[in-house]
Amino acid sequence: MIFCRKFSLSFPTPAIPLAVLAVALISDPAWADTNTWEPSLFPTTEPSPLPISDEDAFIQPIPSEISFHTESWNAAPSRKSISAVEYNTPILIGSIALSLFLIVVGMIGFIQQKRALLVAEKRVSFANRVSHELRTPLTNILLNIDLISDTLPDEADAARKRLDLVREESSRLNRLLENVLTFSRREQGAPSLHLTACDVSATIDEILDQFGPALERRGLQANRIGSEGPLYVAADPDALSQIVGNLISNVEKYAPKSDTFDIEVAELPKNEAVRITVADRGPGISRGNAARIFRPFVRIHDKTTEGVSGTGLGLAIANELALAMNGTLALTPTREGARFELTLPQANKKRTFPAK
Amino acid sequence: MKILIAEDDPVTRDSLNECLSGEGFATLLASDGNDAIRLWRTEKPDLACLDIMMPDVDGYEVCRQIRSRDKQIPILFLSAKSDEIDVVIGLEIGADDFIRKPFGKHELLARVRSALRRSEAAKAVASPSQSTPASFEIRGELTIYPTQLRAVRNSSGEEIDLSPREISILRVLNEHLGEAVPRDELLNRCWGLNYYPESRTLDQHIAKLRKRVEPGNGESPLIETVRGIGYRIREKVSD
């Protein structure tokens, strides 16, 4: 797919000047014929009048009488060949110059395009490489936290709590990394997803578990509404976790302290779909910004919220992944806070589905 | 059980070594692919953990070379490369599992254990003469399968994962059934004479082991602390 895109971009540019050159060369004999008329029109005063421009060459050869025409055909063959050379040269030079000019312009365009493509590719592979590089220190941090925790004396609860914090922050860092990687993969082509039957409730439990300490620190409590039992959707398990994680991460960032937020799971039997709603009572998103939030690198509360960090990729990626799994992610208007609805096709357990 | 670790990042290599040797596995450390192949030839490890991106000879090549001579040894890739295609290549050329970085100690140990267990099961199928794996029983309550790194609770059939270190502790205590085994003897036999673990190491291992093997329903505990001496497993109290 990448190859095709590259090919279609680069193909026409060098082709244009080449086509012009080919046309110029093929049409040359016609020019030669027209020009042989000239000397008979203005016999001897100016032996070889050079046409000032291409237009002159067009205007001059029009014969006033038909006899001139026949005369020209009866003229000495040696003169004809000489004049052909004399009059062809400037036109040939002109057309070659024009072709060369077009080739050069084409080449410059082509090189620039190629360079731009290369830069874009480099940027993507750079993001890829950096994310990969970052995983090694992250592994080292995680392994060593585990090693320290294991050797800590039982009574060192405070230290263990700190270590849990470090572990939690590491997993946050990993989430950010995954987002950057997913994004750069998207730039390279479609993300590869494998749809299987995923239990929505279990996924939500898992993500809430991961966020547990962070939510607790901000005094936030999840209010689960609707089905607690298993409810299956056709989704890629990693992508589903990423979407739910990104939504809850936003709640953790923007919801007011010591509050509750809602996570609702509802079956939509009519559409054979499952809807997951995540709603908080934070500052929300204004109507004007609602259209922008799913675009990459857009952060609405950039200035207003202190101590809130992010790449502006979370919602863009969540939206992209939801669409790729034949679902939707939408911001629905509410009186207060932000309310996101993720809808995914329902699945029977243990069935596989082709990804879009 | 010997585990080959091939990893070019020195900190990761040390951490992996610490994680695995702490659980009683013997480790062989290689910092690049050539080293890994050499160690595999000379030391014949029971399992190989390979990083993919290494200087000169990468993990894929090491895996290919090992697989061309040995179809049995479990090979795990530990890698920051986690695109689907990398995982597919890894499994295609004969790896048994692919652990994506970042990972924690518990994930690593669980995967190492399960890979070893699968290979033991495969060996048992290959040579049916030894189809009943070597095992020993403790007080008729627990059956320990050392090569499979697990124990089975006889009363309930519950399976318990154990590390090589934990198995060796149980073995030593079982050999001296009813007697208190001094701390020094446990340290010498389970950690080796050349190794001087911190004094707390043994207690921590026992604490972890207790969590796993004790029935925890108010019955008489399996492992008892004998103050000032060490630990013991008491003979079955017949009532």
Side-chain angles (χ1 to χ4, degrees):
Chain A
M1 193 186 147
I2 295 165
F3 173 74
C4 287
R5 201 166 55 185
K6 239 193 244 172
F7 186 71
S8 64
L9 274 174
S10 57
F11 175 68
T13 356
I16 294 166
L18 285 178
V20 169
L21 185 63
V23 167
L25 287 175
I26 289 164
S27 56
D28 220 21
W31 287 103
D33 267 5
T34 345
N35 289 317
T36 46
W37 293 342
E38 267 177 63
S40 46
L41 269 172
F42 308 97
T44 45
T45 38
E46 288 173 48
S48 53
L50 281 168
I52 299 156
S53 69
D54 287 356
E55 279 103 304
D56 290 327
F58 268 117
I59 297 159
Q60 283 173 2
I62 299 167
S64 52
E65 280 177 47
I66 203 81
S67 60
F68 278 113
H69 196 120
T70 38
E71 222 181 279
S72 80
W73 286 109
N74 297 332
S78 63
R79 248 191 96 171
K80 188 185 172 187
S81 68
I82 291 165
S83 66
V85 172
E86 281 172 353
Y87 289 96
N88 262 341
T89 320
I91 294 158
L92 209 67
I93 291 172
S95 60
I96 289 174
L98 188 69
S99 313
L100 277 176
F101 172 71
L102 284 173
I103 289 176
V104 169
V105 168
M107 287 300 268
I108 289 172
F110 174 63
I111 289 168
Q112 260 174 359
Q113 207 173 42
K114 213 173 164 189
R115 196 174 291 161
L117 213 70
L118 214 72
V119 167
E121 245 165 55
K122 259 189 196 156
R123 200 178 298 148
V124 167
S125 81
F126 172 75
N128 238 322
R129 215 175 40 238
V130 166
S131 327
H132 283 140
E133 284 300 313
L134 290 175
R135 281 185 177 151
T136 301
L138 211 52
T139 308
N140 294 343
I141 292 171
L142 284 173
L143 281 176
N144 283 287
I145 295 168
D146 288 342
L147 283 168
I148 301 168
S149 304
D150 283 356
T151 46
L152 271 183
D154 295 338
E155 56 273 15
D157 273 348
R160 200 163 278 127
K161 226 176 236 171
R162 294 265 161 216
L163 283 175
D164 285 344
L165 203 80
V166 179
R167 189 182 287 129
E168 200 188 299
E169 286 298 299
S170 311
S171 65
R172 182 156 80 120
L173 195 56
N174 190 36
R175 251 195 326 273
L176 289 172
L177 264 181
E178 288 305 317
N179 276 347
V180 172
L181 261 181
T182 311
F183 184 74
S184 79
R185 242 178 250 143
R186 190 198 73 153
E187 295 281 287
Q188 279 178 320
S192 60
L193 296 173
H194 291 276
L195 305 190
T196 53
C198 303
D199 180 5
V200 173
S201 306
T203 307
I204 292 175
D205 285 340
E206 204 178 288
I207 302 290
L208 280 178
D209 243 24
Q210 261 180 42
F211 277 90
L215 293 173
E216 206 173 289
R217 229 182 354 268
R218 300 205 60 221
L220 286 167
Q221 248 195 338
N223 180 25
R224 294 286 298 267
I225 306 170
S227 140
E228 289 265 336
L231 200 52
Y232 293 93
V233 291
D236 179 288
D238 290 340
L240 180 63
S241 301
Q242 209 172 348
I243 298 175
V244 177
N246 284 348
L247 291 180
I248 295 182
S249 161
N250 276 349
V251 171
E252 190 248 318
K253 283 181 200 163
Y254 300 114
K257 276 185 183 173
S258 311
D259 196 13
T260 58
F261 63 97
D262 297 338
I263 300 182
E264 187 183 345
V265 180
E267 226 178 314
L268 309 176
K270 217 166 65 186
N271 309 333
E272 290 185 13
V274 172
R275 190 181 60 208
I276 304 159
T277 311
V278 178
D280 64 35
R281 282 189 275 271
I285 289 147
S286 71
R287 207 169 279 255
N289 284 327
R292 291 174 53 227
I293 52 161
F294 293 117
R295 283 187 218 151
F297 305 116
V298 170
R299 299 194 54 226
I300 306 295
H301 302 292
D302 221 356
K303 290 172 194 126
T304 52
T305 321
E306 255 178 64
V308 169
S309 60
T311 49
L313 283 176
L315 283 175
I317 284 165
N319 185 38
E320 192 100 357
L321 290 174
L323 287 174
M325 297 191 294
N326 314 313
T328 55
L329 177 65
L331 173 74
T332 49
T334 45
R335 255 184 232 160
E336 57 169 353
R339 183 184 176 89
F340 287 95
E341 287 186 357
L342 169 69
T343 314
L344 288 168
Q346 195 164 11
N348 299 318
K349 212 193 160 200
K350 303 238 155 69
R351 238 185 74 197
T352 51
F353 307 83
K356 210 186 216 175
Chain B
M1 285 195 173
K2 265 187 280 185
I3 296 182
L4 169 67
I5 300 168
E7 165 68 63
D8 63 332
D9 185 272
V11 181
T12 311
R13 195 168 59 237
D14 279 0
S15 310
L16 289 171
N17 176 30
E18 195 94 351
C19 286
L20 292 167
S21 60
E23 293 296 316
F25 293 101
T27 50
L28 308 162
L29 304 178
S31 56
D32 59 51
N34 287 322
D35 241 17
I37 293 169
R38 191 179 49 77
L39 277 171
W40 167 74
R41 281 214 187 99
T42 54
E43 303 283 333
K44 293 283 161 219
D46 297 291
L47 180 141
C49 293
L50 309 174
D51 182 25
I52 291 177
M53 287 177 281
M54 286 188 290
D56 299 334
V57 179
D58 69 5
Y60 290 142
E61 187 52 37
V62 176
C63 177
R64 259 185 228 112
Q65 294 212 16
I66 294 180
R67 268 289 170 262
S68 67
R69 310 260 184 87
D70 186 343
K71 299 269 181 278
Q72 297 291 324
I73 177 178
I75 298 175
L76 307 186
F77 276 123
L78 317 171
S79 181
K81 291 179 92 174
S82 67
D83 284 348
E84 196 192 353
I85 184 70
D86 303 314
V87 180
V88 170
I89 291 174
L91 298 178
E92 285 281 312
I93 61 173
D96 294 87
D97 203 353
F98 196 107
I99 312 180
R100 296 173 189 215
K101 287 181 185 173
F103 53 84
K105 182 185 171 185
H106 304 289
E107 181 181 1
L108 172 75
L109 289 175
R111 288 188 191 247
V112 163
R113 219 176 266 141
S114 90
L116 282 171
R117 196 174 300 146
R118 276 197 304 266
S119 97
E120 283 299 322
K123 270 186 210 161
V125 171
S127 52
S129 57
Q130 298 172 333
S131 62
T132 43
S135 65
F136 63 94
E137 249 187 28
I138 298 177
R139 285 206 323 204
E141 289 175 13
L142 280 177
T143 311
I144 317 278
Y145 300 94
T147 54
Q148 299 186 3
L149 299 177
R150 70 190 172 106
V152 174
R153 202 182 294 289
N154 293 348
S155 56
S156 60
E158 178 200 353
E159 294 210 354
I160 302 162
D161 283 335
L162 293 172
S163 71
R165 182 92 70 218
E166 288 163 339
I167 287 172
S168 70
I169 293 172
L170 285 174
R171 195 197 291 276
V172 172
L173 290 176
N174 195 44
E175 279 169 15
H176 299 272
L177 196 63
E179 301 166 31
V181 182
R183 298 173 56 89
D184 282 351
E185 186 177 349
L186 275 171
L187 284 171
N188 282 344
R189 290 200 47 193
C190 303
W191 272 264
L193 286 166
N194 302 324
Y195 185 79
Y196 300 97
E198 287 168 46
S199 59
R200 291 197 45 83
T201 309
L202 176 62
D203 304 321
Q204 273 158 3
H205 268 85
I206 296 278
K208 259 169 60 187
L209 183 55
R210 274 181 173 149
K211 271 187 207 154
R212 292 199 184 163
V213 300
E214 297 291 352
N217 53 2
E219 282 179 35
S220 62
L222 193 70
I223 303 167
E224 287 179 345
T225 310
V226 183
R227 211 163 272 283
I229 302 173
Y231 296 94
R232 94 174 136 203
I233 295 179
R234 204 191 276 274
E235 278 174 80
K236 185 96 181 160
V237 218
S238 47
D239 37 15

